[in-house]
Amino acid sequence: MNVLEEPIKEPIEIKNYIDGEWVESEGEYKDIVNPATGKVIGTVPISTQAEFNQAVESAQEAFPYWRSMPPVARARCLFRLKDLLEENFEELSRIQTMEHGKTIDESRGETRRGIENVEVATGIPSLMQGDYLEDIASGIDEYLIRQPLGTFGVITPFNFPFMIGLWFAPYAVATGNCVVLKPSSEDPFCQTKIAELVEEAGIPPGVWNVVNGGRTVVSEMLDHPDIQGVCFVGSTPVGRDVIFKRCGATGKRVIAQTGAKNFALVMPDADLDRTIAACMTSFYGNAGQRCLANANLVIVGEGLTKKEHEAFYQKVVDKFVAAATNIQMGYGLDESIQMGPLRDVGKKEKVVGYIEKGIAEGATLKLDGREFELVGDWPRDAFLGPTVFEDVTPDMIIAQEEIFGPVANMMKADNLDRAIEMIHDNPFGNAASIFTGNGKWARQVRYEVKCGNIGINVGVAAPMAFFPFSGMKDSFFGTEHGQGTEAIRFFTESKVVIERWF
Amino acid sequence: MGNNTASAIISFAERLEDRSAAYYRDLAERFPKESEVFLSLAKGCEKTKTLVVQTYRETVSDALETGYSFEGLDLSDYEIEETLLEDVDYGEALKKATALEGRAADFYQDVANRSRSLLATIAVAFNSAAKRRKKHKQKLESLVN
């Protein structure tokens, strides 16, 4: 066992970053526990309404200066931030493992994806350019300018404490807006560290603010008249019924990327060894706490007799279970570990509740994650092993609802049409994958499936920073998505000028 | 046999290159006549380390098989012996270096062979590292002859 050095040695009291100053909150503080070791690693404030308002005020003051700074100069600030993120790459990654529980490989991957968004945003002098057409009528020209709007709010979830803030904030700032970011109160350390680097990079006071907290901050963000739009990643009930609706009521722009129940289809011609290896990351990566995690594995009998389908199904299930059984679980800073704990005990209890529901509704528990071996002498509280259910049917709760844990459902479909129907019967539309060597089947999935992100022989269909992070149905509420050029459009207003000189 | 995650493999490669480079710098001091060759080998090890670490950090994303384990590899098979005895002679030191290069090349090649379709960027980098180690070995063999 080789446990890497922990970057957080003593408990840290998190502060807010408002107007370029580190400010202690007057709100209550709550403990943050490393879910693998059970140790308190710091405290986070539940900030007040007044503190949030101060942050918005500082952003509003900074806005006129910041928007008038040439895009190329704003890009240079982001280049400096990118360099600092690279310099602190390893520390940032280890912090993620400590505050969230994910493995060090997963954390480094998350760090890379976050930095990629800063890289894309540095291209703002090109990305923000408008359009121009001469002679729309004789002697009259018309052009389009993209202008920033003011201050945006960003609300990030616990499952990717580093990356998700960077899906939005760099683009907001690059386009000349200011941001007030509320990290998840469950794992706020990375966003604090990023704000330290923002300060070091010389991004002016008030442009990038961090206010920690809970519902009070969110509620104020949704109602505040100076907040032009809100970016949110989290659950569907909150994203749809709170964020999207209230943004609509108060006239704000909104990106609400929400829950998921993703399907992976395994076709009879799939390369099974590679499929199963890819599925392990997809189903159990981040301990299943990922909106792009696959949850339902549908073994499709296209072109097979009933008997052949049954044999194929059994073969896939056996290989899946064998691979899942071998996953090493423990503290993510141990380099031999492939899966860490859930973020906290409450989340584990919720997932265990779903396992019990699955048993009650008649699914066969093929691999029980409640019984597990742990590498290292860590408290078992938040750990839960890979779980596999067999004989799962689409009407079961475990097949329909987002479990957000390491639970895989093995399902059957007679053919590809039926498998696609199963995807469409589910209210979510975040991602779907197909594993096959057949281009026609792959195309059918790409063409027909109503999901925002499609994987073809890829288990986690995660768009790169220069593509939008898509989502459909109950997995997304809004118009433009985060990342890439859609983020640029979200954070800018299109102004059209028609010009004639006498 | 430990579980060989990508992180564990990269850490092993880093240590391998650090130790190899240190060995060649040591040889350069002990055998000044061939110091240029040994220092160039040390530099080659430093370059390989940079290549391997950069490839991992810059292209492996969280979505692509981060839980991937390089099955069937026992890293103890690739451990190198690089300590030099006080009175080691030139021929003995070269022999040790040649063995070291062979073992390092095997390590990179074996890892590359296990990640051709998943974590494919690691396979590309490790193939290149194996190639460099094989060239090192050839250079050392030419010194023996």
Side-chain angles (χ1 to χ4, degrees):
Chain A
M1 191 168 70
N2 176 26
V3 178
L4 302 168
E5 193 183 343
E6 294 182 327
I8 301 173
K9 310 273 187 220
E10 298 292 330
I12 296 169
E13 189 184 287
I14 297 277
K15 292 188 171 78
N16 291 330
Y17 182 64
I18 299 173
D19 201 22
E21 302 286 340
W22 292 95
V23 191
E24 260 180 48
S25 170
E26 288 176 3
E28 283 180 17
Y29 280 73
K30 71 168 199 170
D31 288 346
I32 304 156
V33 174
N34 178 332
T37 64
K39 284 184 190 157
V40 173
I41 52 174
T43 54
V44 61
I46 304 303
S47 303
T48 63
Q49 187 179 333
E51 286 161 349
F52 176 77
N53 289 339
Q54 281 165 17
V56 177
E57 208 174 296
S58 80
Q60 289 295 101
E61 274 178 33
F63 177 60
Y65 163 73
W66 182 244
R67 73 157 287 190
S68 67
M69 183 180 274
V72 72
R74 293 199 298 262
R76 283 183 192 124
C77 288
L78 289 169
F79 272 116
R80 289 196 293 274
L81 176 60
K82 137 89 180 160
D83 285 346
L84 289 165
L85 290 167
E86 294 286 1
E87 281 170 29
N88 290 272
F89 186 99
E90 188 59 20
E91 185 187 347
L92 285 160
S93 302
R94 292 187 192 184
I95 289 172
Q96 284 162 63
T97 295
M98 288 187 75
E99 65 179 333
H100 175 274
K102 61 184 66 188
T103 68
I104 189 63
D105 272 327
E106 289 167 341
S107 294
R108 288 175 186 147
E110 180 178 346
T111 307
R112 175 55 51 209
R113 284 197 166 249
I115 293 174
E116 280 166 358
N117 279 281
V118 180
E119 288 169 350
V120 172
T122 59
I124 204 65
S126 305
L127 292 170
M128 207 177 162
Q129 285 179 11
D131 295 315
Y132 197 106
L133 185 67
E134 284 184 331
D135 292 321
I136 55 155
S138 186
I140 303 178
D141 306 329
E142 182 166 340
Y143 51 98
L144 176 145
I145 308 164
R146 296 188 203 286
Q147 293 189 324
L149 288 94
T151 304
F152 281 82
V154 178
I155 303 164
T156 68
F158 78 90
N159 61 334
F160 285 92
F162 175 81
M163 174 182 72
I164 291 181
L166 298 176
W167 281 359
F168 308 110
Y171 301 100
V173 164
T175 46
N177 298 285
C178 299
V179 289
V180 181
L181 196 143
K182 188 206 87 64
S184 166
S185 58
E186 296 175 45
D187 43 16
F189 291 103
C190 276
Q191 292 303 326
T192 300
K193 182 74 189 170
I194 291 171
E196 286 173 16
L197 301 179
V198 162
E199 185 181 24
E200 204 179 328
I203 293 177
V207 172
W208 188 305
N209 304 276
V210 179
V211 180
N212 293 279
R215 285 181 185 174
T216 303
V217 171
V218 172
S219 191
E220 196 56 22
M221 189 185 284
L222 294 170
D223 289 339
H224 200 295
D226 288 332
I227 292 286
Q228 302 297 320
V230 174
C231 305
F232 166 87
V233 176
S235 74
T236 295
V238 176
R240 177 188 57 207
D241 302 334
V242 181
I243 307 292
F244 185 63
K245 282 191 180 161
R246 276 176 63 187
C247 282
T250 54
K252 297 185 195 328
R253 295 180 172 203
V254 61
I255 294 174
Q257 301 188 192
T258 55
K261 188 74 180 180
N262 303 318
F263 288 69
L265 313 183
V266 185
M267 303 304 287
D269 66 339
D271 178 332
L272 280 194
D273 288 340
R274 290 168 185 177
T275 297
I276 298 300
C279 281
M280 290 303 108
T281 288
S282 174
F283 283 78
Y284 300 120
N286 225 28
Q289 302 166 113
R290 174 173 17 215
C291 66
L292 289 175
N294 279 316
N296 293 336
L297 189 79
V298 184
I299 295 117
V300 184
E302 181 82 42
L304 302 181
T305 63
K306 204 165 182 172
K307 202 174 160 192
E308 287 168 339
H309 187 196
E310 189 54 43
F312 176 54
Y313 170 82
Q314 215 47 61
K315 192 175 169 187
V316 175
V317 171
D318 290 347
K319 275 181 174 280
F320 192 100
V321 170
T325 306
N326 284 335
I327 288 176
Q328 304 275 307
M329 193 165 54
Y331 186 15
L333 286 182
D334 174 348
E335 289 189 303
S336 72
I337 292 307
Q338 291 165 287
M339 191 171 105
L342 289 154
R343 198 359 259 165
D344 58 49
V345 179
K347 289 184 173 55
K348 173 181 167 177
E349 283 168 359
K350 191 178 156 216
V351 179
V352 168
Y354 273 108
I355 296 174
E356 286 160 0
K357 272 182 202 163
I359 297 167
E361 57 190 349
T364 307
L365 190 56
K366 187 85 176 170
L367 181 63
D368 188 351
R370 296 170 300 179
E371 292 162 14
F372 56 83
E373 281 180 22
L374 212 51
V375 178
D377 188 21
W378 311 110
R380 297 170 69 85
D381 308 5
F383 285 96
L384 182 65
T387 297
V388 182
F389 274 113
E390 240 197 306
D391 308 319
V392 178
T393 53
D395 58 312
M396 290 181 180
I397 288 169
I398 56 167
Q400 292 176 354
E401 294 184 5
E402 182 174 44
I403 296 176
F404 226 53
V407 180
N409 298 319
M410 304 290 115
M411 302 168 78
K412 273 184 223 162
D414 290 341
N415 52 49
L416 185 54
D417 287 342
R418 174 62 195 135
I420 292 174
E421 248 176 51
M422 284 161 68
I423 296 173
H424 290 166
D425 286 345
N426 190 281
F428 296 105
N430 210 38
S433 296
I434 180 169
F435 291 91
T436 182
N438 182 317
K440 184 170 179 286
W441 290 339
R443 185 183 186 278
Q444 187 180 347
V445 166
R446 173 176 66 75
Y447 191 80
E448 291 181 13
V449 166
K450 294 184 186 77
C451 287
N453 307 289
I454 301 291
I456 297 173
N457 295 315
V458 168
V460 184
M464 298 293 286
F466 26 89
F467 286 97
F469 192 105
S470 194
M472 294 180 184
K473 296 163 70 185
D474 274 2
S475 297
F476 177 75
F477 298 90
T479 311
E480 307 285 1
H481 300 87
Q483 297 196 146
T485 50
E486 288 201 21
I488 304 295
R489 286 204 293 271
F490 179 79
F491 290 115
T492 55
E493 188 75 89
S494 297
K495 182 182 277 182
V496 175
V497 180
I498 303 170
E499 188 178 87
R500 173 167 61 190
W501 296 97
F502 295 114
Chain B
M1 188 163 72
N3 189 37
N4 299 313
T5 60
S7 177
I9 291 286
I10 300 299
S11 291
F12 184 86
E14 279 186 83
R15 285 194 299 273
L16 185 70
E17 296 304 336
D18 285 343
R19 288 167 63 188
S20 305
Y23 178 72
Y24 287 124
R25 281 194 290 270
D26 195 0
L27 285 185
E29 272 181 29
R30 288 182 192 227
F31 306 105
K33 212 174 141 192
E34 299 294 351
S35 71
E36 205 175 305
V37 177
F38 293 132
L39 289 175
S40 81
L41 292 172
K43 196 157 191 179
C45 296
E46 286 157 11
K47 280 185 185 170
T48 303
K49 179 180 165 181
T50 303
L51 169 78
V52 165
V53 173
Q54 272 183 0
T55 302
Y56 170 60
R57 285 232 177 134
E58 296 184 357
T59 61
V60 176
S61 85
D62 81 298
L64 295 175
E65 292 83 40
T66 39
Y68 188 75
S69 176
F70 294 78
E71 302 291 340
L73 274 184
D74 188 342
L75 292 181
S76 64
D77 289 345
Y78 307 99
E79 282 295 346
I80 54 168
E81 169 49 50
E82 83 283 26
T83 43
L84 284 173
L85 295 174
E86 272 306 308
D87 55 350
V88 69
D89 67 27
Y90 182 64
E92 192 58 32
L94 281 185
K95 205 172 147 192
K96 202 171 223 180
T98 310
L100 179 157
E101 290 298 340
R103 198 161 274 206
D106 288 347
F107 164 70
Y108 286 117
Q109 200 60 66
D110 291 348
V111 172
N113 290 345
R114 280 167 173 77
S115 60
R116 284 196 200 286
S117 55
L118 302 170
L119 300 182
T121 45
I122 285 191
V124 172
F126 275 47
N127 270 326
S128 163
K131 215 169 171 182
R132 181 173 280 153
R133 289 299 207 160
K134 283 171 193 163
K135 276 187 188 163
H136 283 192
K137 198 176 168 204
Q138 281 168 2
K139 195 179 264 184
L140 288 162
E141 281 165 351
S142 73
L143 291 178
V144 174
N145 299 329

